[in-house]
Amino acid sequence: MKLIAPVPITDAVMGASSLEENDTDDAPLWTAGAKAAGDRVRRPNHRVYECVVPHNATSAAVDYPENNSTGESRKWIFVRPTNLYAAFDSAKRTASVANGEVLSWTLTPGVRVDSLSLFGVLASAVRVRVTVAGVIKYDRTQSLRLRNCRSWSEWFTKPIAFRSDVSFTDLPMYRDAIIEIIVSWPGNIPQVGEIQIGRYDYLGAVKWEPSIRTVDYSENEPDQWGTIEFRPGESVRVVEYDLFIRNEDVDEVVRLLTKAKSAPRAWLGSPKFGALNLFGFAQDFQLVVRSPAGSFVNLQIRELT
């Protein structure tokens, strides 16, 4: 089990991209002046807000949308992050959407990182390239195509499916690395829900028999004749793992898991089963120091949308 603690993506980290801040919303930068209901603006925090109460905004901080978007007397509501930063907002449901067949970012973390995970991906391939002082140190492409066919008939007729998550955990660790992320889908519009970049911590070995269940937020209500009306909602995974860890790592694992209960992380439970890799938080864990040979951890991870 690998746990990635993300590096915050700030203006200093963000470099060139195929996206612009204002790709998907007609949202100019906020300025003081008259605001009408329905007006959308964006702020330096890379968020888009919509005016709900007409007013004349001054340049005072109390009139900034981010300071006036909660409570009963709010004048603004938060709509979404800007398209450029949507993939870095710790939520998969707000995706960065390409304006063509390719979606790309160039990041300079400024610290040593070795891992990169993408979640909620709609694309056919993801390429990661690491450059240091103009020299390419790493260049790897992963296809997201799934061809799980049981017969020749399925091979030729079954629609091609795609993985929605992909991870790279072997990036060379240079402090001055420039990391390019290139997401492509020929003939289609790719998008990415969440990107986590950082350095992974190894927690322990995942034992066989991890379990996966889903929590569905859809609403299905029958009427008086028994007809059911379906109102689709989000569905999230809750994955339960049993880990074997070294006794020497007990304190460190407890520290990492405690910290991960209050902030989302990338959890990589298996390189073979994609369903065991998810973006979420530690809902619960229990550690038992079983014997001098090692300890066991029961860990529940809840996916975030």
Side-chain angles (χ1 to χ4, degrees), residues 72-303:
E72 295 182 359
S73 60
R74 66 185 179 183
K75 298 177 181 178
W76 299 89
I77 57 172
F78 167 65
V79 178
R80 57 164 283 141
T82 60
N83 199 29
L84 177 63
Y85 279 84
F88 304 96
D89 72 332
S90 297
K92 290 197 304 180
R93 67 182 179 276
T94 50
S96 290
V97 182
N99 48 29
E101 299 180 349
V102 177
L103 181 58
S104 66
W105 294 269
T106 299
L107 307 176
T108 53
V111 295
R112 302 183 193 276
V113 299
D114 59 8
S115 300
L116 176 68
S117 290
L118 294 86
F119 300 93
V121 181
L122 287 178
S124 60
V126 176
R127 179 183 182 186
V128 175
R129 184 165 54 195
V130 178
T131 304
V132 179
V135 179
I136 297 176
K137 300 291 187 178
Y138 179 95
D139 194 341
R140 183 185 175 195
T141 301
Q142 289 196 48
S143 172
L144 302 184
R145 292 174 181 263
L146 292 173
R147 295 302 297 267
N148 185 19
C149 299
R150 300 176 179 86
S151 66
W152 283 110
S153 175
E154 286 191 359
W155 176 265
F156 286 108
T157 62
K158 186 176 181 179
I160 297 176
F162 298 90
R163 289 184 291 156
S164 61
D165 308 329
V166 61
S167 296
F168 301 78
T169 58
D170 57 348
L171 275 59
M173 291 192 289
Y174 292 90
R175 186 180 298 275
D176 56 346
I178 299 174
I179 301 173
E180 297 176 76
I181 307 167
I182 305 166
V183 182
S184 58
W185 197 6
N188 294 278
I189 304 298
Q191 67 180 52
V192 178
E194 178 64 24
I195 297 176
Q196 296 272 293
I197 181 170
R199 187 169 179 172
Y200 78 78
D201 289 293
Y202 180 75
L203 300 181
V206 178
K207 298 173 60 180
W208 280 100
E209 299 184 358
S211 65
I212 303 171
R213 63 182 177 90
T214 60
V215 178
D216 190 7
Y217 294 98
S218 301
E219 294 183 358
N220 308 322
E221 295 184 2
D223 60 20
Q224 57 185 327
W225 295 281
T227 302
I228 297 179
E229 179 184 357
F230 292 91
R231 291 192 290 273
E234 293 286 350
S235 179
V236 300
R237 285 172 290 168
V238 178
V239 183
E240 185 170 345
Y241 312 87
D242 287 312
L243 309 181
F244 177 79
I245 68 172
R246 303 185 312 164
N247 286 338
E248 301 94 307
D249 297 333
V250 165
D251 290 344
E252 178 67 3
V253 168
V254 170
R255 183 187 70 83
L256 291 171
L257 293 180
T258 301
K259 191 174 183 179
K261 294 187 73 172
S262 59
R265 300 280 191 270
W267 303 82
L268 309 181
S270 170
K272 182 177 182 180
F273 302 106
L276 298 180
N277 304 324
L278 67 164
F279 171 68
F281 65 97
Q283 183 171 272
D284 193 19
F285 73 91
Q286 182 179 15
L287 189 148
V288 178
V289 182
R290 180 62 58 86
S291 72
S295 300
F296 293 97
V297 177
N298 177 266
L299 176 63
Q300 292 184 18
I301 306 300
R302 186 186 183 93
E303 183 180 30

Side-chain angles (χ1 to χ4, degrees), residues 16-84:
S17 174
S18 62
L19 301 176
E20 299 291 339
E21 284 268 12
N22 199 24
D23 271 349
T24 57
D25 294 289
D26 184 17
L29 277 172
W30 178 90
T31 57
K35 306 300 178 185
D39 285 353
R40 287 193 173 186
V41 299
R42 55 190 168 91
R43 291 288 294 151
N45 62 359
H46 311 294
R47 292 186 162 205
V48 175
Y49 298 86
E50 182 175 311
C51 180
V52 292
V53 176
H55 63 285
N56 190 37
T58 69
S59 57
V62 293
D63 279 345
Y64 293 170
E66 63 269 30
N67 297 332
N68 212 336
S69 60
T70 59
E72 295 182 359
S73 60
R74 66 185 179 183
K75 298 177 181 178
W76 299 89
I77 57 172
F78 167 65
V79 178
R80 57 164 283 141
T82 60
N83 199 29
L84 177 63

